[in-house]
Amino acid sequence: MSDSVKSSLRLCQLCNAEKPVLKRPKTGQRLCKSCFYYVFETEIHNTITDAKLFYPGERVAIGASGGKDSTVLAYVLKTLNERYNYGVEFVLLSIDEGIHGYRDDSLETVKRNKLQYDMDLEIVSYGDLYGWTMDQIVAQIGMKNNCTYCGVFRRQALDRGSVKLGISHVVTGHNADDMAETVLMNLLRGDTARLDRCTEIVTDSTDSPVKRSKPLKYTYEKEIVLYAHYKKLDYFTTECTYSPEAFRGTARALIKNLEAVRPSSIIDVIRSGESFVLKRKLQDEIKKAAAATAVATPATAPSDSKVINSKTTVPMTSTTTNTYTNTSTTVEPTSTTNPASATTSTTITTMPKSAPPTSTHHNIDSKGAPLPFTTTTKMRGRCERCGYLSNNKLCKACVLLEGLNAGRAKLDIAGSQDVSKGSALLSKQLETLSF
Amino acid sequence: MTTHTTDSVAPCKRCQEPSVLISRSEPFCKKCFVKFVQYKQKKRMEDYKVNYTPGAKVPDVLLPLSFGRSSLALLDMVADMLRFQSSTHGGRQGLHLHAVHIDETGIHGMDGDVQETLQNLRAKYPECSTITSVKLESFLEDPSVNREVVKIVASTSTVSPNNTKELLAMLVKRTPQQDMLNIIRLKIIEKVARDLNCTTIIWGHSMTRLAELVISLTAKGRGNTISDILFSEQSEPRILYPLNEVLGSEVADYIQVQSLDQFVLSSLSRRPATTKLQSIDELVNQYFVSVEQGFPSVVSTVVKTAAKLAPSSAVYESRQLEVSTCKICGGPAMPDSLEWLEKITVNFPPSADGLQENQDHQESKDTSNELCYGCITLFKDSMVSELNWPKRSTKEEVLAEYSLE
């Protein structure tokens, strides 16, 4: 008896057949490789189908940095796309911030990923787009606040890169640890504007032609590391040499400690974040609902059209494991073939295959491709100078650029030769000195 | 932040007397500091003025007294308020104050004598209608108290807990133990409030403590109840935090200038030195202690931000969600909690043969449907006990920790 217990302890805690190779960070279970791969991938698949992230025929850009998160994201999406027939075409989209000794190396990784995963690759550089690389920006403004520039510029660069590719959906590699950190940061910094929205899987401002989503939002960073390691994925490990702000570091340390005492803390924080509703927003919601019921008959049921998820748009007939996916969805898998239930889902099922499920975006053309950011369209809510999304006359990037360009004259007079080399590279070289 | 500058030459900004401390970068003398802090408490309790309406009932108010600094400071302030009311309104009072201490000496020792301290407080504060104690163990002895806790704890084990100490021991880890202890304390306080016909409960929590609670509730998956617990405007009985604008450091200063140190008692169950063994509440407490030095405004930012969250009942009502009451904590239990958890933490192998696992799966579903997410997490945590978790996650460390090759 005790022998059999002993031997079973040595086996994978899920399949009870294979030798375990790792302890799962999320649960502490000892798992074999194939069970770990399975749960890791299935959880991401569940996240995708639950949020109805993709539709067949969609072209989706993967924001690829060459780091572990985006590399694992690209690999897993390719795997799931084939396994569950998402019918999605994935393209790699990289941003070259122009940080010597960091981004140039990681871009080499992305170029290898392009070949490994057989995906197209588009690289958008700050230098081409803004006339400034991050190295040049840091040379001018110093080591403080440069993350602000990088963040504002990257957001726009991703959108513009996506528009250039004719794609209206970018997925990024934000993981569960990032999400939890953001929830705590928003509380600690008092960022009410983002508090209730930061955990949403899709960030989708109504006037933007490009939506963002985070399929890895429930995936632990440590599991991404383990997955990449055991799958022998080719990724780039160095962190950005321009250090992040100090306060974020304290939130990150807190998350690490919480995870150490209770591994589920990371998803617990996200669960809390997802439940946050601002009083102000709730009042708007109630007013809207009251207005809607006053005007029309309450026939418009809340969008409980779960039919669109895995059951309809993502055929799973070819899989051996479909019994496990969405076991608790209220809509039976047969509902797509059952004409009786078609009333709730006609708009979805009769939609042409290539069109996005929601064509409410006025910035998307009939084929689902995003309209470009130009000043010629003279649309409302656009930057006067570059045509990018902005509530003010100038977008954030143009404001930052104005400041940078005003300072450029001075810099030229100083005539420093080292500007293009970048202080990140310099400090990296200094680190290797042995004296 | 408060610093003691007894030798400081700067006079009190309000009365020009020599100052004894600095709070919020302002020098205070003892008298003005006490006034400053008491004003904040009085402002929160201005509904409890002396009522001259004939036949008006003087409300009974319950003050849970842990012998920690905050609850003692609040007791002192409310007693002072009553003394003032009584002297200026011919013996009339705006409220009847009942202080109750939950005696936990059956679970953990205290660094002083509980009964003796209670006796001393009764002598010091005759304005108080009652100052009593109730044993923590009464929670299980009283049949009117929710016994679901025992039932559910027992369902996770082969033995049933006979008393509160055993029940807590079965939860194995510090975080679920402290969580359960907090739930039990709340249930006892609610019962005492009912027994004494108290219409209001006033808690001693400082602003710092409230900020800690916001973060630790979030960390424990109980973020949906932040508004209900900390900023509730319409609960029965009414819940008030009169010190919600007083910093933790100011409470400590108040205790000192009012010479109340002698009444402060703390548990002998000390915080473990290793981070890994601490509870989530203790970690969050440490976080605020360290972060307050570099970023002093964090505490008030957190409290102000959390105050903007909507109460859960309003959210569920507006979104027409059917929510039951958690069998353990009594908070809102979303029906989707377990489903959500299982989708993102898949617990069965690739093939359909995992009979054993599916059974476990079913079992957990039965009880967990009636629990809120926070309590599901509490029990999940306590069942996994022998694990070691890494603190940092460079690839090498992760591999060293998790790879079995």
Side-chain angles (χ1 to χ4, degrees):
Chain A
M1 176 63 193
S2 68
D3 273 355
S4 72
V5 169
K6 249 185 186 173
S7 66
S8 76
L9 277 179
R10 287 203 203 98
L11 295 175
C12 167
Q13 283 178 273
L14 285 187
C15 66
N16 268 319
E18 299 287 320
K19 184 174 159 279
V21 295
L22 56 89
K23 251 193 301 184
R24 189 172 185 205
K26 212 178 203 173
T27 60
Q29 293 160 315
R30 287 157 180 271
L31 300 186
C32 68
K33 264 189 208 176
S34 57
C35 281
F36 174 64
Y37 296 157
Y38 172 76
V39 294
F40 183 92
E41 291 157 4
T42 307
E43 285 163 15
I44 297 169
H45 171 66
N46 287 347
T47 309
I48 289 169
T49 51
D50 234 40
K52 306 158 206 162
L53 270 196
F54 309 129
Y55 60 92
E58 187 177 13
R59 287 180 77 220
V60 175
I62 301 173
S65 67
K68 61 174 174 10
D69 298 316
S70 57
T71 304
V72 166
L73 178 64
Y75 178 86
V76 171
L77 286 180
K78 181 183 166 64
T79 307
L80 295 176
N81 196 20
E82 287 162 8
R83 182 181 302 161
Y84 297 106
N85 295 321
Y86 290 167
V88 175
E89 184 194 335
F90 290 107
V91 181
L92 296 170
L93 172 59
S94 282
I95 307 300
D96 183 0
E97 295 95 344
I99 304 174
H100 265 281
Y102 165 62
R103 187 51 94 217
D104 40 6
D105 292 351
S106 64
L107 281 176
E108 288 310 310
T109 317
V110 181
K111 284 173 192 162
R112 286 197 300 276
N113 289 160
K114 164 190 156 68
L115 300 174
Q116 290 154 356
Y117 305 149
D118 189 25
M119 292 175 184
D120 285 341
L121 167 65
E122 178 74 30
I123 300 176
V124 182
S125 84
Y126 282 10
D128 293 346
L129 207 54
Y130 307 110
W132 287 84
T133 65
M134 271 316 285
D135 282 343
Q136 289 169 330
I137 292 171
V138 172
Q140 178 157 331
I141 65 157
M143 295 295 274
K144 268 194 174 173
N145 287 331
N146 49 53
C147 285
T148 313
Y149 286 80
C150 202
V152 169
F153 286 171
R154 186 182 302 106
R155 196 190 154 81
Q156 185 169 147
L158 268 178
D159 278 359
R160 287 189 180 274
S162 184
V163 168
K164 191 175 168 189
L165 291 165
I167 289 176
S168 56
H169 186 177
V170 179
V171 291
T172 56
H174 290 93
N175 60 42
D177 300 50
D178 298 332
M179 301 293 288
E181 188 182 304
T182 309
V183 173
L184 290 190
M185 279 299 287
N186 288 337
L187 277 173
L188 295 165
R189 274 195 312 209
D191 196 340
T192 7
R194 283 182 216 164
L195 185 60
D196 58 337
R197 296 200 58 192
C198 67
T199 49
E200 285 175 4
I201 185 161
V202 178
T203 40
D204 193 7
S205 65
T206 43
D207 54 348
S208 172
V210 181
K211 72 170 178 181
R212 308 282 191 87
S213 66
K214 312 177 189 93
L216 301 185
K217 70 173 278 199
Y218 298 123
T219 309
Y220 277 34
E221 189 173 286
K222 287 181 180 128
E223 301 199 349
I224 291 172
V225 173
L226 287 165
Y227 187 86
H229 170 76
Y230 285 108
K231 285 276 187 182
K232 298 193 172 58
L233 299 185
D234 182 7
Y235 71 90
F236 182 76
T237 37
T238 308
E239 295 256 335
C240 178
T241 350
Y242 299 133
S243 58
E245 47 168 336
F247 188 56
R248 184 170 279 276
T250 69
R252 191 166 293 181
L254 178 60
I255 294 274
K256 292 281 169 212
N257 285 336
L258 288 171
E259 190 193 1
V261 300
R262 180 183 272 183
S264 72
S265 289
I266 289 172
I267 47 171
D268 299 344
V269 170
I270 299 175
R271 174 79 181 178
S272 287
E274 288 181 359
S275 76
F276 288 162
V277 180
L278 294 173
K279 278 183 200 159
R280 182 165 44 82
K281 293 254 181 81
L282 187 68
Q283 267 153 19
D284 292 349
E285 222 175 83
I286 293 169
K287 264 187 219 155
K288 244 188 212 168
T293 46
V295 171
T297 46
T300 46
S303 56
D304 191 30
S305 50
K306 271 196 172 161
V307 205
I308 193 185
N309 76 12
S310 56
K311 305 299 182 284
T312 323
T313 52
V314 187
M316 297 193 302
T317 42
S318 64
T319 81
T320 53
T321 54
N322 56 0
T323 42
Y324 290 122
T325 52
N326 295 296
T327 42
S328 42
T329 337
T330 46
V331 181
E332 290 302 308
T334 51
S335 65
T336 49
T337 54
N338 180 3
S341 70
T343 42
T344 54
S345 56
T346 35
T347 51
I348 294 145
T349 44
T350 58
M351 192 165 287
K353 230 190 165 192
S354 60
T358 51
S359 49
T360 49
H361 288 295
H362 49 79
N363 292 323
I364 293 176
D365 69 15
S366 53
K367 284 173 190 159
L371 294 176
F373 299 109
T374 56
T375 47
T376 51
T377 49
K378 291 274 178 233
M379 290 173 77
R380 272 184 61 202
R382 294 303 175 100
C383 171
E384 276 184 1
R385 197 166 292 167
C386 71
Y388 188 67
L389 308 168
S390 174
N391 290 326
N392 302 315
K393 263 170 93 175
L394 292 184
C395 71
K396 279 182 195 160
C398 282
V399 172
L400 292 178
L401 277 176
E402 207 166 64
L404 285 171
N405 290 333
R408 180 167 259 169
K410 280 185 236 158
L411 204 74
D412 285 342
I413 295 164
S416 167
Q417 295 285 307
D418 289 337
V419 170
S420 61
K421 215 175 169 188
S423 49
L425 182 63
L426 201 66
S427 64
K428 208 179 170 196
Q429 286 165 343
L430 285 172
E431 277 169 17
T432 60
L433 295 177
S434 55
F435 53 88
Chain B
M1 262 203 320
T2 317
T3 357
H4 290 277
T5 50
T6 330
D7 312 323
S8 156
V9 279
C12 171
K13 217 176 162 185
R14 303 184 180 204
C15 69
Q16 305 306 315
E17 292 286 308
S19 67
V20 294
L21 58 90
I22 293 176
S23 188
R24 308 190 192 200
S25 25
E26 192 186 325
F28 280 98
C29 70
K30 183 190 155 181
K31 220 173 133 190
C32 289
F33 179 72
V34 169
K35 229 183 191 170
F36 165 73
V37 177
Q38 287 190 348
Y39 171 74
K40 290 179 180 296
Q41 168 262 326
K42 282 199 189 108
K43 202 174 70 188
R44 298 294 302 170
M45 293 184 69
E46 58 189 7
D47 290 350
Y48 300 88
K49 285 178 183 154
V50 175
N51 190 347
Y52 277 94
T53 317
K57 197 180 174 299
V58 180
D60 287 281
V61 172
L62 184 66
L63 191 163
L65 185 66
S66 66
F67 296 137
R69 288 186 169 77
S70 299
S71 56
L72 274 172
L74 181 60
L75 174 65
D76 187 78
M77 288 179 216
V78 179
D80 199 70
M81 183 173 104
L82 291 174
R83 211 174 300 139
F84 178 79
Q85 287 177 343
S86 184
S87 65
T88 50
H89 296 276
R92 288 167 203 260
Q93 293 189 341
L95 60 95
H96 292 312
L97 183 63
H98 303 273
V100 64
H101 172 74
I102 299 177
D103 186 347
E104 298 176 6
T105 45
I107 309 295
H108 55 74
M110 297 289 278
D111 61 359
D113 192 317
V114 168
Q115 293 310 323
E116 192 188 311
T117 311
L118 284 169
Q119 202 54 52
N120 293 341
L121 286 174
R122 281 184 206 115
K124 186 173 166 66
Y125 301 113
E127 303 82 8
C128 249
S129 302
T130 60
I131 299 183
T132 51
S133 72
V134 47
K135 287 228 176 264
L136 186 83
E137 290 83 344
S138 69
F139 168 71
L140 288 186
E141 287 152 10
D142 192 323
S144 74
V145 172
N146 188 344
R147 292 187 68 94
E148 287 294 331
V149 181
V150 186
K151 228 166 75 188
I152 291 171
V153 172
S155 77
T156 66
S157 166
T158 47
V159 287
S160 180
N162 294 311
N163 53 49
T164 319
K165 197 170 186 171
E166 277 181 37
L167 182 132
L168 291 172
M170 283 172 70
L171 295 173
V172 187
K173 285 185 182 175
R174 211 166 158 83
T175 304
Q177 282 171 347
Q178 286 190 356
D179 273 9
M180 186 56 79
L181 203 50
N182 280 330
I183 291 169
I184 295 175
R185 284 178 189 138
L186 275 177
K187 287 190 185 290
I188 293 177
I189 292 299
E190 279 167 17
K191 184 178 181 299
V192 173
R194 273 195 307 273
D195 291 350
L196 292 171
N197 290 320
C198 290
T199 49
T200 306
I201 301 174
I202 50 172
W203 291 93
H205 299 47
S206 64
M207 181 164 36
T208 312
R209 177 83 189 107
L210 290 174
E212 283 175 27
L213 274 175
V214 169
I215 299 297
S216 77
L217 285 170
T218 305
K220 289 185 275 197
R222 297 181 187 273
N224 58 331
T225 62
I226 287 177
S227 175
D228 308 342
I229 296 177
L230 304 179
F231 306 100
S232 165
E233 281 150 10
Q234 42 202 9
S235 61
E236 192 60 50
R238 189 178 181 202
I239 308 286
L240 277 185
Y241 298 93
L243 305 187
N244 71 343
E245 281 179 19
V246 182
L247 293 168
S249 54
E250 289 167 337
V251 168
D253 285 339
Y254 184 89
I255 292 290
Q256 201 173 26
V257 297
Q258 296 285 71
S259 311
L260 299 171
D261 294 282
Q262 47 175 320
F263 303 110
V264 176
L265 299 185
S266 33
S267 160
L268 289 176
S269 158
R270 297 258 185 255
R271 176 206 309 270
T274 339
T275 314
K276 239 183 235 185
L277 298 176
Q278 292 176 4
S279 72
I280 288 180
D281 289 353
E282 285 161 342
L283 276 178
V284 173
N285 171 269
Q286 276 301 102
Y287 174 77
F288 276 100
V289 168
S290 65
V291 86
E292 245 191 318
Q293 289 162 4
F295 308 90
S297 60
V298 168
V299 165
S300 70
T301 305
V302 170
V303 176
K304 277 182 204 149
T305 310
K308 291 177 183 157
L309 293 171
S312 66
S313 56
V315 175
Y316 300 141
E317 193 184 323
S318 148
R319 302 193 176 166
Q320 300 179 347
L321 294 169
E322 268 185 46
V323 178
S324 50
T325 303
C326 174
K327 293 243 169 173
I328 298 287
C329 70
M334 296 282 289
D336 78 319
S337 297
L338 201 65
E339 185 192 326
W340 184 87
L341 205 57
E342 281 166 356
K343 264 186 195 158
I344 58 169
T345 317
V346 173
N347 203 26
F348 28 80
S351 71
D353 303 324
L355 270 180
Q356 181 63 46
E357 282 70 34
N358 282 337
Q359 223 166 22
D360 288 353
H361 178 72
Q362 208 49 50
E363 231 169 72
S364 68
K365 203 159 201 158
D366 289 340
T367 44
S368 301
N369 259 352
E370 299 165 321
L371 303 185
C372 70
Y373 182 86
C375 287
I376 293 176
T377 308
L378 188 159
F379 286 114
K380 272 193 193 286
D381 189 20
S382 58
M383 279 181 269
V384 190
S385 54
E386 76 293 354
L387 303 163
N388 288 313
W389 301 101
K391 281 181 191 166
R392 281 170 295 163
S393 57
T394 66
K395 183 184 161 187
E396 286 66 31
E397 281 165 334
V398 173
L399 288 177
E401 182 86 24
Y402 296 101
S403 177
L404 301 177
E405 287 176 329

